[in-house]
Amino acid sequence: MGLEELLSLPATVNVVTAARALGISPNKAYTLIRDGEFPVVTLPLGSTVRVPTAALWKVLGVEGLASGRA
């Protein structure tokens, strides 16, 4: 995922999109979530898991770039 696409993500994303941003497979992401080792905070919403984009940006080190966009 390129920087422009990363910065244009909505407020929360699904695990597949977060995994793609992190450069890992969705299966690996779900395993890390299950084991409590996913590097980004997750929001469990019933049977769905969402990942806050701001937290994803922080882990990837692009939060400053995102805040500079207006």
Side-chain angles (χ1 to χ4, degrees):
M1 178 177 295
L3 181 60
E4 195 62 33
E5 185 179 1
L6 185 64
L7 294 176
S8 68
L9 293 173
T12 64
V13 295
N14 61 30
V15 173
V16 173
T17 301
R20 194 165 138 248
L22 292 167
I24 61 175
S25 73
N27 286 340
K28 179 66 173 178
Y30 281 110
T31 298
L32 291 171
I33 290 168
R34 183 193 67 222
D35 295 344
E37 297 179 7
F38 195 67
V40 183
V41 65
T42 58
L43 303 171
L45 303 168
S47 63
T48 301
V49 176
R50 301 294 292 179
V51 178
T53 300
L56 184 60
W57 288 340
K58 185 174 183 176
V59 167
L60 294 172
V62 297
E63 65 183 330
L65 297 173
S67 65
R69 293 183 84 197

